[in-house]
Amino acid sequence: MTDVTLGMPQLPAPDYPAEVRARLEGDAREVIARYPDSRSALLPLLHLVQSEEGYVTRTGIRFCAEQLGLTTAEVTAVATFYTMYRRRPSGEYQVGVCTNTLCAVMGGDAIFEALREHLRLANGETTEDGRVTLEHIECNAACDFAPVVMVNWEFFDNQTVESAKRLVDDLRAGRTVEPTRGAPLCTYKETARILAGFPDTRPGAVEATGGAGPASLVGLRLAKGEAAPGRVVSQRASDYPADEIPPGHPSSHDAPQQTSASDPDHPSGPVTEEGK
């Protein structure tokens, strides 16, 4: 009788090589010790195993389960819920284009479609050289710099189709690229280890910072009683108010991009009166 396979994964999952497991167990003990309940360490442990292989493998799931006294089903349920955990091999640089509402209407949809054509990739696919994985992602909490592209969770603000193409070309060519703000760019595996809670030892990385833009800080200033009297200023005004100093890093609302390429049926610009 011929054996029938249902495509189920072989169990149990293979273990890490002895030296790798020993190193990861030391790291895991350090992570678990931060929490009063070991189960709370699952998210950083998933980042830890992702830093080893670039995605959460069956071996990584088994490792997390053993360290925390959980079942592999419990670990899998968490790993498949959060989109920051990869379930298959991907690129050294994750290029995420925000296509949430504001970024989309400011040009994010056009950027994502242009990169798909430029790289010849569908969402979630990786270039043949293994350098870039392209994804559309939801809100980066940087709406005042829309449209935003993130590479390994570092910000590249106020992007255009052309600047985004140059960005992915530079990444594939191995050229140095600098985020708009925040720490210098590192590989996806290095980013995963930092997200697991281990220090970033690169010179100057901790000191690097990049705050929110003026639009994001209005609420905070109001709460502190620091805001000047409010007044209505069109977000698409081309000239910054004469009595204020333009911010050092303008947002797209201060220097808006054309959005008609994103939605050809509804080009940007003032709405005409009915019948005109």
Side-chain angles (χ1 to χ4, degrees), residues 28 31-32 34-35 37-51 56 60 63-65 67-68 70 74-86 188 191-198:
V31 172
I32 294 170
R34 302 171 190 159
Y35 300 92
D37 183 348
S38 63
R39 189 187 185 104
S40 300
L42 178 54
L43 296 184
L45 281 191
L46 286 169
H47 283 299
L48 176 64
V49 298
Q50 188 160 248
S51 73
V56 178
F63 176 83
C64 291
Q67 299 303 306
L68 300 175
L70 302 173
E74 289 173 311
V75 176
T76 300
V78 174
T80 55
F81 180 83
Y82 293 102
T83 58
M84 289 183 73
Y85 301 121
R86 294 176 171 177
Y188 189 83
T191 301
R193 184 170 177 82
I194 294 169
L195 291 173
F198 293 93

mmCIF file of all heavy atoms in Angstrom, residues 28 31-32 34-35 37-51 56 60 63-65 67-68 70 74-86 188 191-198:
data_model
loop_
_atom_site.group_PDB
_atom_site.id
_atom_site.type_symbol
_atom_site.label_atom_id
_atom_site.label_comp_id
_atom_site.label_asym_id
_atom_site.label_seq_id
_atom_site.Cartn_x
_atom_site.Cartn_y
_atom_site.Cartn_z
ATOM 1 N N ALA A 28 18.275 33.408 26.731
ATOM 2 C CA ALA A 28 16.895 33.221 27.180
ATOM 3 C C ALA A 28 16.784 33.391 28.689
ATOM 4 O O ALA A 28 15.821 33.989 29.185
ATOM 5 C CB ALA A 28 16.389 31.843 26.756
ATOM 6 N N VAL A 31 16.623 37.007 29.436
ATOM 7 C CA VAL A 31 15.332 37.603 29.092
ATOM 8 C C VAL A 31 14.271 37.214 30.114
ATOM 9 O O VAL A 31 13.512 38.065 30.613
ATOM 10 C CB VAL A 31 14.904 37.165 27.673
ATOM 11 C CG1 VAL A 31 13.474 37.608 27.385
ATOM 12 C CG2 VAL A 31 15.854 37.737 26.631
ATOM 13 N N ILE A 32 14.190 35.940 30.448
ATOM 14 C CA ILE A 32 13.152 35.453 31.358
ATOM 15 C C ILE A 32 13.281 36.098 32.736
ATOM 16 O O ILE A 32 12.278 36.382 33.404
ATOM 17 C CB ILE A 32 13.211 33.915 31.447
ATOM 18 C CG1 ILE A 32 12.844 33.301 30.092
ATOM 19 C CG2 ILE A 32 12.286 33.392 32.540
ATOM 20 C CD1 ILE A 32 13.113 31.806 29.999
ATOM 21 N N ARG A 34 13.817 38.993 33.524
ATOM 22 C CA ARG A 34 13.256 40.347 33.585
ATOM 23 C C ARG A 34 11.792 40.357 34.013
ATOM 24 O O ARG A 34 11.249 41.415 34.318
ATOM 25 C CB ARG A 34 13.364 41.014 32.207
ATOM 26 C CG ARG A 34 14.767 41.114 31.651
ATOM 27 C CD ARG A 34 14.717 41.595 30.207
ATOM 28 N NE ARG A 34 16.022 41.491 29.549
ATOM 29 C CZ ARG A 34 16.189 41.450 28.238
ATOM 30 N NH1 ARG A 34 15.124 41.504 27.435
ATOM 31 N NH2 ARG A 34 17.392 41.353 27.712
ATOM 32 N N TYR A 35 11.131 39.214 34.008
ATOM 33 C CA TYR A 35 9.687 39.170 34.197
ATOM 34 C C TYR A 35 9.318 38.341 35.421
ATOM 35 O O TYR A 35 9.933 37.293 35.687
ATOM 36 C CB TYR A 35 9.016 38.569 32.957
ATOM 37 C CG TYR A 35 9.280 39.348 31.694
ATOM 38 C CD1 TYR A 35 10.360 39.028 30.868
ATOM 39 C CD2 TYR A 35 8.475 40.430 31.338
ATOM 40 C CE1 TYR A 35 10.614 39.750 29.707
ATOM 41 C CE2 TYR A 35 8.727 41.156 30.177
ATOM 42 C CZ TYR A 35 9.800 40.809 29.371
ATOM 43 O OH TYR A 35 10.059 41.522 28.232
ATOM 44 N N ASP A 37 6.615 36.657 35.708
ATOM 45 C CA ASP A 37 5.967 35.462 35.160
ATOM 46 C C ASP A 37 6.690 35.125 33.869
ATOM 47 O O ASP A 37 6.731 35.931 32.940
ATOM 48 C CB ASP A 37 4.492 35.743 34.894
ATOM 49 C CG ASP A 37 3.744 34.512 34.397
ATOM 50 O OD1 ASP A 37 4.413 33.516 34.042
ATOM 51 O OD2 ASP A 37 2.503 34.553 34.351
ATOM 52 N N SER A 38 7.266 33.945 33.795
ATOM 53 C CA SER A 38 8.095 33.582 32.645
ATOM 54 C C SER A 38 7.324 33.650 31.334
ATOM 55 O O SER A 38 7.903 33.952 30.280
ATOM 56 C CB SER A 38 8.672 32.174 32.820
ATOM 57 O OG SER A 38 7.628 31.198 32.860
ATOM 58 N N ARG A 39 6.013 33.412 31.374
ATOM 59 C CA ARG A 39 5.222 33.426 30.155
ATOM 60 C C ARG A 39 5.279 34.797 29.472
ATOM 61 O O ARG A 39 5.155 34.897 28.251
ATOM 62 C CB ARG A 39 3.770 33.070 30.490
ATOM 63 C CG ARG A 39 2.881 32.850 29.280
ATOM 64 C CD ARG A 39 1.425 32.670 29.710
ATOM 65 N NE ARG A 39 0.583 32.342 28.570
ATOM 66 C CZ ARG A 39 0.122 31.123 28.311
ATOM 67 N NH1 ARG A 39 0.434 30.117 29.105
ATOM 68 N NH2 ARG A 39 -0.649 30.921 27.267
ATOM 69 N N SER A 40 5.497 35.858 30.260
ATOM 70 C CA SER A 40 5.572 37.213 29.708
ATOM 71 C C SER A 40 6.794 37.409 28.827
ATOM 72 O O SER A 40 6.873 38.401 28.105
ATOM 73 C CB SER A 40 5.577 38.244 30.847
ATOM 74 O OG SER A 40 4.414 38.143 31.627
ATOM 75 N N ALA A 41 7.737 36.501 28.887
ATOM 76 C CA ALA A 41 8.955 36.627 28.095
ATOM 77 C C ALA A 41 8.801 36.072 26.681
ATOM 78 O O ALA A 41 9.763 36.099 25.910
ATOM 79 C CB ALA A 41 10.113 35.902 28.792
ATOM 80 N N LEU A 42 7.617 35.601 26.322
ATOM 81 C CA LEU A 42 7.465 34.946 25.020
ATOM 82 C C LEU A 42 7.756 35.881 23.857
ATOM 83 O O LEU A 42 8.449 35.501 22.904
ATOM 84 C CB LEU A 42 6.053 34.357 24.889
ATOM 85 C CG LEU A 42 5.749 33.683 23.547
ATOM 86 C CD1 LEU A 42 6.789 32.621 23.209
ATOM 87 C CD2 LEU A 42 4.343 33.094 23.550
ATOM 88 N N LEU A 43 7.236 37.111 23.877
ATOM 89 C CA LEU A 43 7.451 38.010 22.740
ATOM 90 C C LEU A 43 8.935 38.289 22.512
ATOM 91 O O LEU A 43 9.424 38.162 21.386
ATOM 92 C CB LEU A 43 6.663 39.306 22.931
ATOM 93 C CG LEU A 43 5.136 39.180 22.967
ATOM 94 C CD1 LEU A 43 4.489 40.560 23.067
ATOM 95 C CD2 LEU A 43 4.611 38.449 21.751
ATOM 96 N N PRO A 44 9.700 38.692 23.548
ATOM 97 C CA PRO A 44 11.135 38.895 23.288
ATOM 98 C C PRO A 44 11.870 37.613 22.904
ATOM 99 O O PRO A 44 12.828 37.658 22.126
ATOM 100 C CB PRO A 44 11.663 39.487 24.596
ATOM 101 C CG PRO A 44 10.637 39.209 25.618
ATOM 102 C CD PRO A 44 9.331 39.150 24.901
ATOM 103 N N LEU A 45 11.432 36.473 23.419
ATOM 104 C CA LEU A 45 12.091 35.221 23.020
ATOM 105 C C LEU A 45 11.851 34.915 21.545
ATOM 106 O O LEU A 45 12.733 34.375 20.862
ATOM 107 C CB LEU A 45 11.600 34.055 23.880
ATOM 108 C CG LEU A 45 12.199 33.926 25.274
ATOM 109 C CD1 LEU A 45 11.820 32.591 25.894
ATOM 110 C CD2 LEU A 45 13.712 34.083 25.266
ATOM 111 N N LEU A 46 10.666 35.244 21.046
ATOM 112 C CA LEU A 46 10.420 35.056 19.615
ATOM 113 C C LEU A 46 11.327 35.962 18.783
ATOM 114 O O LEU A 46 11.818 35.561 17.722
ATOM 115 C CB LEU A 46 8.951 35.320 19.294
ATOM 116 C CG LEU A 46 7.971 34.224 19.733
ATOM 117 C CD1 LEU A 46 6.532 34.717 19.613
ATOM 118 C CD2 LEU A 46 8.175 32.954 18.903
ATOM 119 N N HIS A 47 11.557 37.185 19.247
ATOM 120 C CA HIS A 47 12.520 38.049 18.564
ATOM 121 C C HIS A 47 13.923 37.443 18.637
ATOM 122 O O HIS A 47 14.698 37.532 17.681
ATOM 123 C CB HIS A 47 12.528 39.445 19.186
ATOM 124 C CG HIS A 47 11.362 40.297 18.787
ATOM 125 N ND1 HIS A 47 11.121 40.649 17.480
ATOM 126 C CD2 HIS A 47 10.375 40.868 19.530
ATOM 127 C CE1 HIS A 47 10.033 41.408 17.423
ATOM 128 N NE2 HIS A 47 9.563 41.550 18.640
ATOM 129 N N LEU A 48 14.253 36.838 19.770
ATOM 130 C CA LEU A 48 15.578 36.235 19.934
ATOM 131 C C LEU A 48 15.809 35.124 18.919
ATOM 132 O O LEU A 48 16.849 35.096 18.244
ATOM 133 C CB LEU A 48 15.728 35.699 21.354
ATOM 134 C CG LEU A 48 17.032 34.943 21.643
ATOM 135 C CD1 LEU A 48 18.233 35.868 21.518
ATOM 136 C CD2 LEU A 48 16.991 34.302 23.036
ATOM 137 N N VAL A 49 14.863 34.193 18.787
ATOM 138 C CA VAL A 49 15.061 33.104 17.830
ATOM 139 C C VAL A 49 15.010 33.629 16.398
ATOM 140 O O VAL A 49 15.654 33.074 15.498
ATOM 141 C CB VAL A 49 14.036 31.964 18.050
ATOM 142 C CG1 VAL A 49 14.205 31.358 19.438
ATOM 143 C CG2 VAL A 49 12.609 32.437 17.852
ATOM 144 N N GLN A 50 14.267 34.707 16.172
ATOM 145 C CA GLN A 50 14.234 35.309 14.846
ATOM 146 C C GLN A 50 15.579 35.932 14.493
ATOM 147 O O GLN A 50 15.977 35.943 13.325
ATOM 148 C CB GLN A 50 13.128 36.361 14.786
ATOM 149 C CG GLN A 50 12.867 36.910 13.403
ATOM 150 C CD GLN A 50 11.494 37.547 13.275
ATOM 151 O OE1 GLN A 50 10.630 37.036 12.572
ATOM 152 N NE2 GLN A 50 11.283 38.658 13.939
ATOM 153 N N SER A 51 16.295 36.415 15.498
ATOM 154 C CA SER A 51 17.613 36.993 15.247
ATOM 155 C C SER A 51 18.644 35.926 14.867
ATOM 156 O O SER A 51 19.681 36.231 14.291
ATOM 157 C CB SER A 51 18.104 37.755 16.487
ATOM 158 O OG SER A 51 18.500 36.870 17.528
ATOM 159 N N VAL A 56 10.960 32.945 12.331
ATOM 160 C CA VAL A 56 10.612 32.026 13.411
ATOM 161 C C VAL A 56 10.383 30.645 12.814
ATOM 162 O O VAL A 56 9.343 30.380 12.199
ATOM 163 C CB VAL A 56 9.365 32.515 14.177
ATOM 164 C CG1 VAL A 56 8.993 31.513 15.273
ATOM 165 C CG2 VAL A 56 9.617 33.886 14.784
ATOM 166 N N GLY A 60 12.753 27.232 16.328
ATOM 167 C CA GLY A 60 12.628 28.360 17.241
ATOM 168 C C GLY A 60 11.392 28.259 18.113
ATOM 169 O O GLY A 60 11.429 28.590 19.310
ATOM 170 N N PHE A 63 12.054 25.745 20.776
ATOM 171 C CA PHE A 63 12.966 26.294 21.782
ATOM 172 C C PHE A 63 12.202 27.184 22.767
ATOM 173 O O PHE A 63 12.353 27.051 23.983
ATOM 174 C CB PHE A 63 14.074 27.099 21.093
ATOM 175 C CG PHE A 63 15.004 27.789 22.040
ATOM 176 C CD1 PHE A 63 16.069 27.107 22.619
ATOM 177 C CD2 PHE A 63 14.825 29.125 22.361
ATOM 178 C CE1 PHE A 63 16.940 27.743 23.499
ATOM 179 C CE2 PHE A 63 15.679 29.776 23.241
ATOM 180 C CZ PHE A 63 16.743 29.088 23.811
ATOM 181 N N CYS A 64 11.375 28.090 22.244
ATOM 182 C CA CYS A 64 10.611 28.986 23.120
ATOM 183 C C CYS A 64 9.687 28.191 24.039
ATOM 184 O O CYS A 64 9.553 28.498 25.233
ATOM 185 C CB CYS A 64 9.791 29.968 22.285
ATOM 186 S SG CYS A 64 10.773 31.196 21.388
ATOM 187 N N ALA A 65 9.034 27.176 23.489
ATOM 188 C CA ALA A 65 8.120 26.361 24.286
ATOM 189 C C ALA A 65 8.862 25.663 25.424
ATOM 190 O O ALA A 65 8.387 25.642 26.577
ATOM 191 C CB ALA A 65 7.423 25.342 23.395
ATOM 192 N N GLN A 67 11.701 26.557 26.841
ATOM 193 C CA GLN A 67 12.229 27.508 27.823
ATOM 194 C C GLN A 67 11.147 28.022 28.761
ATOM 195 O O GLN A 67 11.417 28.349 29.922
ATOM 196 C CB GLN A 67 12.887 28.695 27.116
ATOM 197 C CG GLN A 67 14.068 28.334 26.232
ATOM 198 C CD GLN A 67 15.161 27.592 26.992
ATOM 199 O OE1 GLN A 67 15.653 28.065 28.011
ATOM 200 N NE2 GLN A 67 15.519 26.415 26.489
ATOM 201 N N LEU A 68 9.908 28.096 28.294
ATOM 202 C CA LEU A 68 8.835 28.722 29.056
ATOM 203 C C LEU A 68 7.810 27.729 29.596
ATOM 204 O O LEU A 68 6.846 28.133 30.254
ATOM 205 C CB LEU A 68 8.127 29.758 28.179
ATOM 206 C CG LEU A 68 9.008 30.887 27.667
ATOM 207 C CD1 LEU A 68 8.218 31.789 26.717
ATOM 208 C CD2 LEU A 68 9.588 31.700 28.814
ATOM 209 N N LEU A 70 5.697 25.937 27.838
ATOM 210 C CA LEU A 70 4.472 26.065 27.063
ATOM 211 C C LEU A 70 4.410 24.950 26.030
ATOM 212 O O LEU A 70 5.398 24.259 25.774
ATOM 213 C CB LEU A 70 4.420 27.427 26.359
ATOM 214 C CG LEU A 70 4.493 28.670 27.238
ATOM 215 C CD1 LEU A 70 4.606 29.922 26.367
ATOM 216 C CD2 LEU A 70 3.280 28.754 28.151
ATOM 217 N N GLU A 74 0.744 26.789 21.770
ATOM 218 C CA GLU A 74 0.608 28.092 22.418
ATOM 219 C C GLU A 74 1.591 29.100 21.828
ATOM 220 O O GLU A 74 1.249 30.259 21.581
ATOM 221 C CB GLU A 74 0.827 27.951 23.925
ATOM 222 C CG GLU A 74 -0.299 27.230 24.640
ATOM 223 C CD GLU A 74 0.016 26.960 26.103
ATOM 224 O OE1 GLU A 74 1.111 26.443 26.394
ATOM 225 O OE2 GLU A 74 -0.836 27.263 26.964
ATOM 226 N N VAL A 75 2.815 28.670 21.580
ATOM 227 C CA VAL A 75 3.819 29.565 20.999
ATOM 228 C C VAL A 75 3.445 29.915 19.567
ATOM 229 O O VAL A 75 3.550 31.078 19.143
ATOM 230 C CB VAL A 75 5.219 28.915 21.055
ATOM 231 C CG1 VAL A 75 6.249 29.805 20.357
ATOM 232 C CG2 VAL A 75 5.625 28.664 22.497
ATOM 233 N N THR A 76 2.985 28.937 18.819
ATOM 234 C CA THR A 76 2.596 29.175 17.435
ATOM 235 C C THR A 76 1.449 30.157 17.343
ATOM 236 O O THR A 76 1.407 31.020 16.453
ATOM 237 C CB THR A 76 2.208 27.853 16.750
ATOM 238 O OG1 THR A 76 3.333 26.962 16.783
ATOM 239 C CG2 THR A 76 1.799 28.080 15.308
ATOM 240 N N ALA A 77 0.504 30.077 18.270
ATOM 241 C CA ALA A 77 -0.641 30.988 18.259
ATOM 242 C C ALA A 77 -0.190 32.435 18.385
ATOM 243 O O ALA A 77 -0.745 33.339 17.746
ATOM 244 C CB ALA A 77 -1.595 30.634 19.392
ATOM 245 N N VAL A 78 0.842 32.678 19.193
ATOM 246 C CA VAL A 78 1.357 34.037 19.361
ATOM 247 C C VAL A 78 2.188 34.450 18.146
ATOM 248 O O VAL A 78 2.060 35.560 17.628
ATOM 249 C CB VAL A 78 2.186 34.132 20.656
ATOM 250 C CG1 VAL A 78 2.858 35.506 20.768
ATOM 251 C CG2 VAL A 78 1.318 33.874 21.871
ATOM 252 N N ALA A 79 3.041 33.554 17.673
ATOM 253 C CA ALA A 79 3.929 33.882 16.550
ATOM 254 C C ALA A 79 3.165 34.187 15.277
ATOM 255 O O ALA A 79 3.621 34.973 14.441
ATOM 256 C CB ALA A 79 4.909 32.729 16.305
ATOM 257 N N THR A 80 2.004 33.575 15.112
ATOM 258 C CA THR A 80 1.211 33.816 13.906
ATOM 259 C C THR A 80 0.270 35.000 14.054
ATOM 260 O O THR A 80 -0.309 35.454 13.068
ATOM 261 C CB THR A 80 0.381 32.569 13.537
ATOM 262 O OG1 THR A 80 -0.427 32.181 14.656
ATOM 263 C CG2 THR A 80 1.292 31.413 13.157
ATOM 264 N N PHE A 81 0.112 35.512 15.267
ATOM 265 C CA PHE A 81 -0.781 36.654 15.491
ATOM 266 C C PHE A 81 -0.100 37.964 15.143
ATOM 267 O O PHE A 81 -0.696 38.857 14.542
ATOM 268 C CB PHE A 81 -1.251 36.674 16.947
ATOM 269 C CG PHE A 81 -2.179 37.810 17.270
ATOM 270 C CD1 PHE A 81 -3.533 37.718 16.994
ATOM 271 C CD2 PHE A 81 -1.696 38.975 17.850
ATOM 272 C CE1 PHE A 81 -4.392 38.770 17.285
ATOM 273 C CE2 PHE A 81 -2.546 40.029 18.145
ATOM 274 C CZ PHE A 81 -3.893 39.930 17.868
ATOM 275 N N TYR A 82 1.173 38.111 15.497
ATOM 276 C CA TYR A 82 1.886 39.364 15.313
ATOM 277 C C TYR A 82 2.657 39.364 13.995
ATOM 278 O O TYR A 82 3.433 38.440 13.710
ATOM 279 C CB TYR A 82 2.861 39.604 16.469
ATOM 280 C CG TYR A 82 2.174 39.851 17.790
ATOM 281 C CD1 TYR A 82 2.089 38.853 18.749
ATOM 282 C CD2 TYR A 82 1.594 41.080 18.067
ATOM 283 C CE1 TYR A 82 1.463 39.070 19.957
ATOM 284 C CE2 TYR A 82 0.958 41.312 19.274
ATOM 285 C CZ TYR A 82 0.894 40.303 20.216
ATOM 286 O OH TYR A 82 0.256 40.533 21.413
ATOM 287 N N THR A 83 2.468 40.423 13.211
ATOM 288 C CA THR A 83 3.084 40.470 11.890
ATOM 289 C C THR A 83 4.580 40.748 11.937
ATOM 290 O O THR A 83 5.256 40.602 10.916
ATOM 291 C CB THR A 83 2.407 41.549 11.030
ATOM 292 O OG1 THR A 83 2.511 42.822 11.696
ATOM 293 C CG2 THR A 83 0.941 41.220 10.806
ATOM 294 N N MET A 84 5.120 41.142 13.078
ATOM 295 C CA MET A 84 6.563 41.384 13.165
ATOM 296 C C MET A 84 7.359 40.081 13.195
ATOM 297 O O MET A 84 8.585 40.098 13.076
ATOM 298 C CB MET A 84 6.906 42.227 14.393
ATOM 299 C CG MET A 84 6.456 43.669 14.283
ATOM 300 S SD MET A 84 6.929 44.684 15.697
ATOM 301 C CE MET A 84 8.688 44.857 15.409
ATOM 302 N N TYR A 85 6.671 38.958 13.361
ATOM 303 C CA TYR A 85 7.363 37.668 13.348
ATOM 304 C C TYR A 85 7.191 37.028 11.974
ATOM 305 O O TYR A 85 6.085 36.768 11.520
ATOM 306 C CB TYR A 85 6.813 36.746 14.442
ATOM 307 C CG TYR A 85 6.958 37.328 15.819
ATOM 308 C CD1 TYR A 85 5.847 37.546 16.626
ATOM 309 C CD2 TYR A 85 8.210 37.675 16.315
ATOM 310 C CE1 TYR A 85 5.983 38.092 17.889
ATOM 311 C CE2 TYR A 85 8.352 38.225 17.581
ATOM 312 C CZ TYR A 85 7.237 38.433 18.363
ATOM 313 O OH TYR A 85 7.370 38.989 19.606
ATOM 314 N N ARG A 86 8.309 36.763 11.333
ATOM 315 C CA ARG A 86 8.277 36.133 10.013
ATOM 316 C C ARG A 86 8.115 34.629 10.158
ATOM 317 O O ARG A 86 8.658 34.019 11.074
ATOM 318 C CB ARG A 86 9.573 36.425 9.258
ATOM 319 C CG ARG A 86 9.781 37.887 8.910
ATOM 320 C CD ARG A 86 11.143 38.041 8.267
ATOM 321 N NE ARG A 86 11.350 39.379 7.718
ATOM 322 C CZ ARG A 86 12.490 39.768 7.163
ATOM 323 N NH1 ARG A 86 13.504 38.937 7.084
ATOM 324 N NH2 ARG A 86 12.616 40.982 6.680
ATOM 325 N N TYR A 188 18.267 42.893 9.435
ATOM 326 C CA TYR A 188 17.039 42.428 10.081
ATOM 327 C C TYR A 188 17.356 41.561 11.300
ATOM 328 O O TYR A 188 16.696 41.685 12.343
ATOM 329 C CB TYR A 188 16.195 41.639 9.081
ATOM 330 C CG TYR A 188 14.824 41.312 9.617
ATOM 331 C CD1 TYR A 188 13.796 42.242 9.555
ATOM 332 C CD2 TYR A 188 14.547 40.087 10.222
ATOM 333 C CE1 TYR A 188 12.535 41.964 10.063
ATOM 334 C CE2 TYR A 188 13.298 39.799 10.727
ATOM 335 C CZ TYR A 188 12.291 40.737 10.645
ATOM 336 O OH TYR A 188 11.062 40.460 11.160
ATOM 337 N N THR A 191 18.387 43.805 14.067
ATOM 338 C CA THR A 191 17.212 44.497 14.590
ATOM 339 C C THR A 191 16.412 43.582 15.511
ATOM 340 O O THR A 191 15.935 44.008 16.568
ATOM 341 C CB THR A 191 16.316 44.977 13.431
ATOM 342 O OG1 THR A 191 17.064 45.844 12.587
ATOM 343 C CG2 THR A 191 15.098 45.713 13.949
ATOM 344 N N ALA A 192 16.260 42.322 15.126
ATOM 345 C CA ALA A 192 15.490 41.377 15.935
ATOM 346 C C ALA A 192 16.134 41.178 17.302
ATOM 347 O O ALA A 192 15.424 41.075 18.319
ATOM 348 C CB ALA A 192 15.368 40.038 15.206
ATOM 349 N N ARG A 193 17.439 41.145 17.361
ATOM 350 C CA ARG A 193 18.106 40.980 18.659
ATOM 351 C C ARG A 193 17.893 42.210 19.543
ATOM 352 O O ARG A 193 17.702 42.092 20.762
ATOM 353 C CB ARG A 193 19.599 40.707 18.463
ATOM 354 C CG ARG A 193 20.314 40.440 19.791
ATOM 355 C CD ARG A 193 21.736 39.936 19.604
ATOM 356 N NE ARG A 193 22.385 39.759 20.892
ATOM 357 C CZ ARG A 193 22.258 38.707 21.684
ATOM 358 N NH1 ARG A 193 21.480 37.696 21.298
ATOM 359 N NH2 ARG A 193 22.883 38.622 22.846
ATOM 360 N N ILE A 194 17.927 43.390 18.947
ATOM 361 C CA ILE A 194 17.658 44.610 19.710
ATOM 362 C C ILE A 194 16.229 44.587 20.243
ATOM 363 O O ILE A 194 15.967 44.943 21.400
ATOM 364 C CB ILE A 194 17.909 45.851 18.838
ATOM 365 C CG1 ILE A 194 19.396 45.960 18.477
ATOM 366 C CG2 ILE A 194 17.456 47.121 19.550
ATOM 367 C CD1 ILE A 194 19.687 46.995 17.411
ATOM 368 N N LEU A 195 15.275 44.145 19.409
ATOM 369 C CA LEU A 195 13.888 44.062 19.840
ATOM 370 C C LEU A 195 13.692 43.013 20.931
ATOM 371 O O LEU A 195 12.729 43.092 21.706
ATOM 372 C CB LEU A 195 12.978 43.746 18.647
ATOM 373 C CG LEU A 195 12.835 44.865 17.611
ATOM 374 C CD1 LEU A 195 12.049 44.382 16.399
ATOM 375 C CD2 LEU A 195 12.156 46.085 18.230
ATOM 376 N N ALA A 196 14.598 42.048 21.013
ATOM 377 C CA ALA A 196 14.543 41.067 22.097
ATOM 378 C C ALA A 196 14.977 41.679 23.423
ATOM 379 O O ALA A 196 14.821 41.045 24.479
ATOM 380 C CB ALA A 196 15.410 39.859 21.762
ATOM 381 N N GLY A 197 15.516 42.894 23.375
ATOM 382 C CA GLY A 197 15.876 43.589 24.608
ATOM 383 C C GLY A 197 17.349 43.635 24.907
ATOM 384 O O GLY A 197 17.751 44.028 26.008
ATOM 385 N N PHE A 198 18.177 43.278 23.927
ATOM 386 C CA PHE A 198 19.619 43.333 24.148
ATOM 387 C C PHE A 198 20.172 44.667 23.645
ATOM 388 O O PHE A 198 19.650 45.237 22.677
ATOM 389 C CB PHE A 198 20.305 42.157 23.450
ATOM 390 C CG PHE A 198 19.955 40.840 24.074
ATOM 391 C CD1 PHE A 198 18.901 40.078 23.586
ATOM 392 C CD2 PHE A 198 20.654 40.376 25.175
ATOM 393 C CE1 PHE A 198 18.551 38.879 24.178
ATOM 394 C CE2 PHE A 198 20.318 39.166 25.779
ATOM 395 C CZ PHE A 198 19.263 38.418 25.283
#
